[in-house]
C-alpha cells in the first residue's frame, strides 16, 4: 500500500505568494540529534540608564557631537551614519547594460521606544506601546509625503546584529521601492488582477476558517505563522479589515494593535525564557508619488523573522542550500504555531513562581 502524505512527516515545498518563491519544508529533520554550535546562554543585565549608551536620554550620540535631550517617551532623531542621504549626485547613463546604476536618495532615522534601556516591547505597558505605534504612524505620514517607501524595522538582540540593547527601531525612507517591496507589490497586484480581491485579505479569512496557524488574535488583528514561513517561528501580523497603510488605522485598531503585540511578543520571550531575538518590519502600500495611485491590492502587514530554532542558544542559519538554491525549514508552520499558541500570555519575568 502506497504511503500517504503527511505534512508533519514528509518533505514538500510550499509557495510564498508574497514573494513568488517556494520554501522547502523538511519536518523529518527535526528528529535529528543536534551536534552543531551550542552557545553558552547569558542573561544580559542591562542597566536602566547607562551614561555611556548613545541612545539614552542626556547621552552623547555616536558621532560625538549631538547630545540627546532628556526625553521621557519616544524619541526620534536623524541617523548619525545614514545609508541614504537626502542629497547627492546621480549616476550617469551606464556604459554597459551589465553595469547599470541608478539614483538613490532617502532619509534614515532612529526611533527610541522608551527612555529606559532595560525594557523591551513585551515588558512595556500597553500605554507605552501605544506611544510607539503613534510615532510609527506619525513618521510614516511625514516621510511618506516625499518618499516611495518608508521602511520601519527593528533588529532585536545581538544575534540579529543589534549592538545596542536600548529599545529602538530604525526608519529608512527611500526614493525607490526596495527589492522586497517590489516583489510584494508585484505579487499582490497580480493576485488582485486575477481574483479581484487583495491577497492578504483572502488569506486572513482562510486562516480564520482553518485556525491551524493562529498564534494570537483579537477583534481587529490576526497573528499567524504563515503557511509559507521560512524562519522557525516567523509571524505575519495583519489587520482583519482591509487597510493600506499604518496611518489608515482607526483609533480602536491602534489600541488593539498594542494589545496583540504585547501578547505574541510575550509568547516569543516565553518560548525559551529569553529576550527573543528577531528582525521585524512593516509593509504597507507605497507612498510619495504612489499615494495618488490605486493601491487597493495592498494590505498592511508586519513580518517577524526570529532565528531561534531549538533553544535560546540554537538558531537557524541561512547558509549553504538556502543561499545558493532555496530557503528551507524543518519544523512546520502548524507545529510552530501550536507551540507559540500554547504559551502563557504572562511574561516569564513577571510570574509569581
Amino acid at each position: 500500500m502506497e504511503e500517504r502524505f503527511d505534512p508533519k512527516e514528509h518533505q514538500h515545498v510550499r509557495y510564498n505568494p508574497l514573494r513568488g518563491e517556494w520554501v522547502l519544508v523538511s519536518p523529518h529533520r527535526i528528529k535529528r540529534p543536534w551536534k552543531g554550535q551550542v552557545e553558552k546562554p547569558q542573561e544580559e543585565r542591562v542597566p536602566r540608564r547607562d551614561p555611556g549608551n548613545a541612545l539614552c536620554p542626556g547621552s552623547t550620540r555616536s558621532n560625538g557631537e549631538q547630545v540627546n535631550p532628556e526625553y521621557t517617551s519616544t524619541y526620534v532623531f536623524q541617523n548619525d551614519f545614514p545609508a541614504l542621504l537626502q542629497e547627492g549626485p546621480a549616476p550617469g547613463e551606464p556604459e554597459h547594460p551589465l553595469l547599470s546604476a541608478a539614483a538613490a536618495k532617502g532619509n534614515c532615522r532612529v526611533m527610541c521606544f522608551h527612555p529606559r534601556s532595560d525594557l523591551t516591547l513585551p515588558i512595556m505597558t500597553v500605554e507605552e506601546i501605544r506611544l510607539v505605534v503613534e510615532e510609527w504612524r506619525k513618521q510614516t505620514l511625514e516621510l511618506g509625503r516625499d518618499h516611495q517607501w518608508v521602511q520601519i524595522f527593528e533588529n532585536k538582540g545581538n544575534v540579529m546584529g543589534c549592538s545596542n540593547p536600548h529599545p529602538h527601531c530604525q526608519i529608512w525612507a527611500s526614493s525607490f521601492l526596495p527589492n522586497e517591496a517590489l516583489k510584494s507589490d508585484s505579487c499582490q497586484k497580480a493576485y488582485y488582477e486575477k481574483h479581484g480581491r487583495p491577497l492578504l485579505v483572502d488569506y486572513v479569512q482562510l486562516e480564520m476558517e482553518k485556525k491551524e496557524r493562529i498564534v494570537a488574535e483579537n477583534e481587529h488583528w490576526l497573528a499567524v505563522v504563515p503557511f509559507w514561513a521560512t524562519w522557525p517561528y516567523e509571524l505575519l501580523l495583519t489587520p482583519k479589515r482591509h487597510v493600506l497603510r499604518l496611518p489608515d488605522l482607526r483609533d480602536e485598531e491602534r489600541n488593539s494593535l498594542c494589545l496583540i503585540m504585547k501578547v505574541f511578543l510575550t509568547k516569543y520571550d516565553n518560548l525559551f525564557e529569553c529576550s527573543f531575538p528577531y528582525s521585524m518590519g512593516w509593509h504597507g502600500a507605497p507612498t510619495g508619488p504612489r499615494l495618488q495611485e490605486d493601491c487597493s491590492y495592498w494590505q498592511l502587514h508586519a513580518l517577524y523573522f526570529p532565528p531561534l530554532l531549538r533553544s535560546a542558544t540554537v538558531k537557524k542559519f541561512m547558509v549553504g542550500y538556502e543561499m545558493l538554491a532555496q530557503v528551507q525549514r524543518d519544523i512546520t508552520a502548524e507545529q510552530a504555531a501550536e507551540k507559540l499558541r500554547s504559551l502563557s500570555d504572562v511574561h516569564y519575568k513577571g510570574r509569581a513562581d
Side-chain angles (χ1 to χ4, degrees):
M1 184 177 177
E2 185 177 352
E3 187 176 9
R4 192 171 181 178
F5 172 74
D6 183 348
K8 298 189 296 295
E9 296 287 338
H10 303 122
Q11 71 271 15
H12 57 285
V13 291
R14 297 188 180 191
Y15 185 67
N16 182 342
L18 287 174
R19 294 174 55 88
E21 298 175 355
W22 292 86
V23 178
L24 173 61
V25 184
S26 311
H28 55 284
R29 278 167 50 93
I30 204 69
K31 300 174 184 177
R32 68 188 175 119
W34 176 255
K35 296 182 180 180
Q37 180 179 356
V38 177
E39 301 161 20
K40 184 180 179 180
Q42 293 182 348
E43 185 72 27
E44 186 178 11
R45 297 188 180 277
V46 179
R48 177 179 292 206
R49 179 166 176 165
D50 177 4
N53 188 321
L55 296 183
C56 282
S59 292
T60 301
R61 294 226 295 273
S62 299
N63 61 11
E65 299 175 1
Q66 280 87 7
V67 175
N68 296 327
E70 291 289 340
Y71 65 91
T72 58
S73 180
T74 57
Y75 172 56
V76 179
F77 60 91
Q78 294 295 132
N79 194 314
D80 296 321
F81 304 99
L84 289 163
L85 300 172
Q86 299 177 60
E87 300 296 335
E93 289 297 317
E95 59 181 277
H96 190 280
L98 297 179
L99 302 174
S100 295
K105 295 182 181 181
N107 192 326
C108 297
R109 296 176 178 176
V110 176
M111 173 183 161
C112 297
F113 295 157
H114 198 282
R116 284 176 56 177
S117 293
D118 59 338
L119 295 180
T120 56
L121 285 170
I123 52 180
M124 286 166 56
T125 66
V126 172
E127 293 75 20
E128 289 168 337
I129 298 173
R130 177 60 192 262
L131 296 174
V132 172
V133 170
E134 285 303 311
E135 193 60 49
W136 282 345
R137 176 179 178 273
K138 176 184 174 182
Q139 293 294 317
T140 304
L141 268 175
E142 181 181 326
L143 293 169
R145 296 191 190 103
D146 304 314
H147 300 87
Q148 279 203 62
W149 189 255
V150 180
Q151 184 60 66
I152 296 169
F153 65 97
E154 178 193 4
N155 295 325
K156 179 172 179 272
N158 290 330
V159 70
M160 302 311 294
C162 181
S163 59
N164 193 315
H166 195 90
H168 71 285
C169 70
Q170 297 190 54
I171 307 166
W172 292 13
S174 59
S175 60
F176 56 91
L177 281 188
N179 291 340
E180 295 302 312
L182 272 172
K183 289 179 186 176
S184 190
D185 186 75
S186 176
C187 289
Q188 290 185 77
K189 187 174 184 180
Y191 183 93
Y192 188 84
E193 289 175 345
K194 183 176 182 179
H195 300 283
R197 300 177 303 277
L199 185 160
L200 285 177
V201 171
D202 275 3
Y203 184 62
V204 164
Q205 294 305 313
L206 189 62
E207 288 290 10
M208 290 176 64
E209 291 169 9
K210 290 189 168 292
K211 300 187 182 301
E212 294 176 324
R213 289 168 290 271
I214 296 175
V215 173
E217 72 172 309
N218 58 28
E219 182 181 358
H220 303 108
W221 293 87
L222 188 73
V224 302
V225 178
F227 175 77
W228 52 81
T230 297
W231 294 93
Y233 295 96
E234 180 176 328
L235 277 181
L236 169 72
L237 172 66
T238 186
K240 292 181 177 180
R241 181 177 69 91
H242 185 202
V243 179
L244 298 186
R245 303 174 180 92
L246 267 172
D248 299 329
L249 291 172
R250 297 167 180 161
D251 186 68
E252 61 270 22
E253 289 169 331
R254 298 197 293 276
N255 284 334
S256 60
L257 170 58
C258 305
L259 293 169
I260 197 170
M261 282 175 60
K262 187 168 178 65
V263 167
F264 71 73
L265 291 177
T266 295
K267 289 177 179 291
Y268 263 177
D269 280 10
N270 286 345
L271 180 61
F272 299 129
E273 295 200 346
C274 67
S275 185
F276 205 67
Y278 58 76
S279 280
M280 68 77 63
W282 284 98
H283 278 186
T287 51
R290 299 284 299 275
L291 288 169
Q292 307 307 317
E293 298 180 11
D294 181 8
C295 293
S296 53
Y297 54 90
W298 261 91
Q299 170 71 344
L300 174 70
H301 59 285
L303 298 165
Y304 286 78
F305 301 137
L308 297 186
L309 173 60
R310 296 168 180 258
S311 71
T313 61
V314 178
K315 53 185 175 287
K316 165 78 174 173
F317 290 95
M318 287 292 181
V319 296
Y321 190 86
E322 287 95 339
M323 294 179 71
L324 297 165
Q326 181 170 303
V327 293
Q328 181 272 340
R329 66 179 285 120
D330 296 344
I331 184 173
T332 68
E334 295 75 27
Q335 291 167 331
E338 184 178 4
K339 280 190 177 183
L340 290 172
R341 187 170 54 244
S342 67
L343 295 168
S344 173
D345 295 350
V346 179
H347 199 277
Y348 74 95
K349 288 186 175 180
R351 293 181 197 151
D353 56 9

